[in-house]
Amino acid sequence: MARRLDLALKDVPLRAPAPLFDRPRPPRGVFTSQSGFLRALGGLAVLLLAVLPFIDASRYTISIATSALIYVMLCMGLNVVVGYAGLLDLGYIAFFAVGAYVSGIFTTVLGWPMWAALPATVFACIFAGIIIGAPTLRLRSDYLAIVTLGFGEIIRITANNLTITGGPSGIHGIPTWEFFGWSFDDGFTIGGLEFPEQVVFYYFVAMIVVVVGVIGAGRLSKGRMGRAWKAVRDDEDAAEAMGINTYATKISAYIIGAVWAGIAGQLMATHLSAISPNSFQFLYSALILMAVVLGGMGSTPGVIIGALFVSLAPELLRDFAEWRYLIFGVLLVVVMLFRPSGLWPATAVLPWLKRNRPAPPPFTEAVASVPPSVFESTDGTPDADVRDGGRG
């Protein structure tokens, strides 16, 4: 029988089996799909950010909003490292310092315009990510956290002792953005509404950079590299057994997170026009990590919510004077007790979508892949091997 089966299948063309039923297209509506709702929510958030200066253009409001956007950029970079790749980094503020100091040195010492210093900042952060990540990313879990904490302190102490970085005094007089002789200091008026010099323009620059950074990090997480990050995060040994270069995957996440932090550092340096080593202490690394964990590791909307909470809550509680940090700490504890996976975890499903159960595919009959004549003898009767169950 086996020989007849081989002869029958010898001239049969190989082809992929056709699907037994048509798969329905996934819903794309705002209230019928998770991705559609998130896109609509993101568009609404961008619209509100663009309208904010026309509602309240005071120096205090715009300054706080700009700082909050920079925190969002920082948290999105750390989310790539911690949320996607699963690398516990306690010295992430070091890349923030590299971006701020490189942009400050190139603009104050070398006299470069701020837009020309941006590529230098990116290359410096890539180099720093390789230098710091190459020896440390061979470690795991707690050992990796301790070593990254040490590197973060090394960067801060080095900046505190170098002459080119200004030592403990830091760098002052960092210039604003200039384009062909026009700078943000010149101010602007739209529809009779006068914007207060450079503050609003730093806000718009930060808004554009943050929107691009959020979209870029989200797209990376859904691609081939993002799937490799998540595989390493879930089980590094299993990912390596499946052919993933875990070391290259981890260092790519580390470099991308460093670039995001460096760009945020340059935005902060131009926004404040002065930087010092005290601005890059371990406390800020802990705050950024807390924002990522609080919002939901690996979740883009959750990380944004966590960054806004950590950056804006102390300002909203300013009326409570010295009690505001106590209230802020209590709020953090309460949130983590009742939402241990974060305010918006990566596995969250919208409440109204939980009731929508997928429809089962239609029932189909079994389809034979071998013609029945193969199992018949030359006289048309069933083959003895088939009748005996293959025992003959």
Side-chain angles (χ1 to χ4, degrees), residues 379-390:
D379 57 357
T381 60
D383 191 271
D385 292 340
V386 178
R387 185 179 60 250
D388 297 338

Side-chain angles (χ1 to χ4, degrees), residues 144-287:
L144 176 62
I146 294 171
V147 173
T148 54
L149 172 61
F151 271 108
E153 288 299 300
I154 287 173
I155 295 294
R156 184 183 65 84
I157 294 172
T158 302
N160 195 44
N161 289 276
L162 290 180
T163 304
I164 195 172
T165 58
S169 300
I171 300 176
H172 301 272
I174 299 175
T176 182
W177 291 73
E178 295 183 359
F179 301 94
F180 307 105
W182 178 85
S183 69
F184 287 171
D185 289 330
D186 297 336
F188 203 78
T189 303
I190 299 179
L193 181 61
E194 182 178 355
F195 294 105
E197 298 178 355
Q198 59 183 0
V199 177
V200 171
F201 293 98
Y202 281 140
Y203 170 81
F204 281 123
V205 169
M207 183 188 73
I208 294 173
V209 171
V210 169
V211 169
V212 173
V214 169
I215 295 175
R219 297 299 297 175
L220 284 174
S221 68
K222 297 178 180 178
R224 181 177 181 181
M225 185 181 298
R227 293 193 296 270
W229 290 340
K230 295 173 183 178
V232 172
R233 176 196 63 190
D234 294 338
D235 194 325
E236 185 172 347
D237 295 328
E240 188 172 6
M242 295 301 295
I244 297 176
N245 189 337
T246 56
Y247 181 72
T249 300
K250 291 191 292 185
I251 203 168
S252 65
Y254 210 66
I255 291 174
I256 290 175
V259 171
W260 259 241
I263 295 175
Q266 180 170 358
L267 290 175
M268 181 62 77
T270 55
H271 174 55
L272 300 178
S273 72
I275 53 175
S276 66
N278 291 331
S279 302
F280 309 105
Q281 296 178 354
F282 167 71
L283 174 62
Y284 296 100
S285 288
L287 281 175

Side-chain angles (χ1 to χ4, degrees), residues 95-168:
F95 302 116
F96 187 60
V98 169
Y101 272 106
V102 168
S103 62
I105 292 171
F106 271 80
T107 54
T108 58
V109 178
L110 302 180
W112 287 27
M114 187 57 67
W115 58 268
L118 182 60
T121 300
V122 173
F123 283 117
C125 291
I126 293 174
F127 181 74
I130 295 174
I131 293 298
I132 298 176
T136 60
L137 293 180
R138 299 187 183 278
L139 303 173
R140 300 187 187 182
S141 64
D142 300 340
Y143 303 100
L144 176 62
I146 294 171
V147 173
T148 54
L149 172 61
F151 271 108
E153 288 299 300
I154 287 173
I155 295 294
R156 184 183 65 84
I157 294 172
T158 302
N160 195 44
N161 289 276
L162 290 180
T163 304
I164 195 172
T165 58

Side-chain angles (χ1 to χ4, degrees), residues 64-84:
I64 296 301
T66 304
S67 299
L69 289 174
I70 293 173
Y71 262 94
V72 171
M73 187 70 177
L74 268 174
C75 293
M76 287 305 301
L78 185 60
N79 188 44
V80 172
V81 179
V82 178
Y84 296 151

